[in-house]
């Protein structure tokens, strides 16, 4: 996803987006809206949509390529599937909100 004017914010967003979910992401959104209003950019995309798109891109790379360095972070696959999900992996037991927002768990639970 090519977002004009946001390479500074989108660099490694998969890593830092979980830590700064509330306050800083809303500030980035306000900054992007101001940039659109003053014609520094031609398009506004909410930062949450950017995070989802970048997460999906990296998730697809990790799950399709078994030689990807992050592939070993994936949980084991389920032995059988009773209900269809977007992935064949077992869901982790989530106890805290911070653990839920890390990259792998964010992709598994959405």
């Amino acid at each position: 996803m090519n977002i004009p004017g946001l390479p500074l914010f989108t660099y490694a967003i998969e890593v830092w987006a979980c830590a700064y979910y509330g306050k800083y992401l809303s500030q980035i959104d306000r900054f992007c809206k101001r940039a659109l209003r003053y014609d520094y950019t031609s398009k506004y995309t909410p930062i949450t949509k950017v995070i989802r798109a970048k997460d999906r891109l990296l998730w697809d790379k990790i799950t399709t390529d078994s030689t990807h360095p992050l592939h070993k972070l994936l949980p084991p696959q389920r032995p059988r599937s009773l209900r269809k999900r977007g992935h064949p992996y077992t869901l982790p037991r989530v106890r805290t909100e911070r653990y839920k927002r890390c990259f792998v768990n964010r992709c598994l639970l959405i």
Side-chain angles (χ1 to χ4, degrees), residues 44-89:
Y44 166 71
T45 306
I47 197 73
T48 55
K49 193 180 252 189
V50 174
I51 291 170
R52 282 191 201 113
K54 297 284 266 182
D55 279 353
R56 179 54 54 195
L57 222 140
L58 182 59
W59 178 256
D60 289 342
K61 285 180 187 176
I62 293 170
T63 55
T64 57
D65 184 13
S66 63
T67 61
H68 195 281
L70 297 177
H71 188 77
K72 56 187 154 189
L73 291 177
L74 296 176
Q77 292 191 1
R78 289 181 297 212
R80 61 187 181 130
S81 178
L82 297 176
R83 185 172 47 153
K84 295 293 182 189
R85 291 193 187 269
H87 56 80
Y89 303 104

Side-chain angles (χ1 to χ4, degrees), residues 15-69:
V15 176
W16 63 261
C18 66
Y20 299 114
Y21 196 71
K23 178 183 174 184
Y24 297 112
L25 294 181
S26 65
Q27 288 178 351
I28 292 171
D29 265 343
R30 285 192 306 244
F31 173 77
C32 293
K33 286 178 185 178
R34 244 187 347 260
L36 178 68
R37 185 174 48 219
Y38 293 122
D39 291 331
Y40 286 108
T41 185
S42 60
K43 181 177 152 186
Y44 166 71
T45 306
I47 197 73
T48 55
K49 193 180 252 189
V50 174
I51 291 170
R52 282 191 201 113
K54 297 284 266 182
D55 279 353
R56 179 54 54 195
L57 222 140
L58 182 59
W59 178 256
D60 289 342
K61 285 180 187 176
I62 293 170
T63 55
T64 57
D65 184 13
S66 63
T67 61
H68 195 281

